């Protein structure tokens, strides 16, 4: 990798970096490209003057700034084309009908120049391998043959104009070295200034955490960061879903236990002997509930244990008599010394129980 010439971005001189990275050497300077731009401007002025130097079109042309360069260091495709013509190289638009009709596999070409708005960069084949020589990267980026066509299609989708380089490129050391051995890149280069931006925002990562995409190592680092961010979001949503499922499971178990408790309570209530009237207390002729006294205290608190035992025994005896004579009509039984009917005594006995 050290044998590959790679100029990094300085100001807005991406056209200069693009040409030098393509030719693998410091062949052009900003002064050289500016001279080519001024020459093109003069040729255009002379063509406009043929229509009359006093014409409105000519005066308008003179007032307009140069279309071949600007103060930031940008140079037009005409400047790049003229600079390459010195080396016998020409540019062909990649998506033109003329080139597409040839149906040439991109891996059989030698180099591409890509442009989006005011940025230029080179993709070149060195030896038997392809490299992204974008000046915005910290170093050359290896591109597999499988990924090259996908990378070019991705650039076109993003709005890049792609030009195929035709002609014999000058010889270089990297071409000879990589023609003998192949490069294995363990970590892709990052965008210039990316490490500083990440560290300032608290998102810096150590250099040992980089990874290489086997299918397509030409993808820029920003794409990988977006994939990792989507993965983190998906994991967060998955954890939220698990928490919701756990809450729903707890709610279902609580409802089930509640229903089981109600069923158990119903079974206990059904097995407990209760008056036919349910839980509604019967009242005596005096308006008081059985088992209560005028003072408000239950009758069981007024009676002794012996009296309660005697009354329960009397109640069981009456029940046995009723079972022995089912056809005989039931007659109210008066309890001695109590002044109340047998039904009232039954209710009092149950309350005391």
């Amino acid at each position: 990798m050290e044998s590959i010439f790679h100029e990094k971005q300085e100001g807005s001189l991406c056209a200069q970096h693009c040409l030098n990275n393509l030719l693998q050497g410091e062949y052009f300077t900003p002064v050289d490209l500016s001279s080519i731009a001024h020459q093109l401007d003069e040729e255009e002025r002379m063509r406009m003057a043929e229509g009359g130097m006093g014409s409105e079109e000519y005066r308008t042309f003179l007032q307009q700034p140069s279309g071949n360069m600007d103060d930031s260091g940008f140079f037009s495709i005409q400047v790049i084309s003229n600079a390459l013509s010195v080396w016998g190289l020409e540019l062909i638009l990649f998506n033109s009908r003329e080139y597409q009709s040839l149906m040439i596999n991109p891996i059989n070409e030698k180099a591409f120049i890509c442009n989006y708005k005011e940025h230029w960069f080179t993709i070149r084949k060195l030896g038997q391998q392809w490299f992204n020589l974008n000046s915005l990267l910290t170093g050359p980026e290896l591109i597999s043959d499988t990924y090259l066509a996908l990378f070019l299609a991705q650039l076109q989708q993003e709005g890049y104009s792609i030009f195929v380089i035709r002609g014999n490129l000058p010889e270089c050391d990297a071409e000879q070295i990589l023609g003998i051995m192949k490069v294995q890149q363990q970590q892709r280069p990052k965008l210039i200034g990316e490490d500083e931006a990440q560290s300032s925002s608290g998102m810096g990562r150590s250099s040992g955490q980089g990874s290489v995409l086997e299918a397509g190592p030409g993808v820029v680092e920003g794409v990988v960061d977006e994939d990792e961010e989507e993965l983190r979001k998906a994991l967060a949503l998955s954890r939220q879903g698990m928490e919701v499922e756990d809450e729903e499971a707890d709610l279902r178990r609580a409802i089930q236990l509640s229903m089981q408790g109600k069923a158990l309570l119903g079974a206990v209530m059904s097995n407990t002997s209760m008056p036919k009237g349910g839980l509604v207390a019967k009242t005596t002729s005096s308006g008081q509930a059985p088992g209560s006294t005028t003072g408000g205290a239950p009758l069981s608190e007024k009676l002794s244990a012996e009296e309660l035992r005697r009354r329960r025994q009397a109640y069981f005896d009456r029940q046995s008599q009723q079972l022995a004579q089912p056809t005989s009509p039931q007659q109210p039984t008066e309890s001695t010394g109590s002044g109340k009917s047998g039904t009232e005594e039954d209710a009092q006995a149950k309350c005391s129980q």
Side-chain angles (χ1 to χ4, degrees), residues 185-204:
Q185 192 170 36
Q186 299 299 324
Q187 182 178 357
R188 298 192 318 277
K190 298 182 180 181
L191 292 173
I192 294 177
E194 183 179 2
D195 290 335
E196 292 78 0
Q198 289 183 350
S199 60
S200 62
S201 60
M203 297 175 59

Side-chain angles (χ1 to χ4, degrees), residues 33-89:
L33 298 180
S34 296
S35 299
I36 296 175
H38 286 306
Q39 181 181 355
L40 291 173
D41 289 342
E42 183 63 20
E43 293 176 358
E44 293 175 3
R45 188 193 66 78
M46 295 177 61
R47 285 194 297 268
M48 293 296 298
E50 293 177 357
M53 298 181 63
S55 64
E56 184 68 23
E57 291 81 4
Y58 182 75
R59 289 195 296 269
T60 303
F61 173 79
L62 293 178
Q63 294 175 358
Q64 293 177 350
S66 172
N68 295 299
M69 63 172 293
D70 58 25
D71 296 337
S72 66
F74 169 77
F75 296 97
S76 65
I77 182 63
Q78 289 80 10
V79 174
I80 294 178
S81 178
N82 279 25
L84 292 177
S85 64
V86 177
W87 295 92
L89 303 173

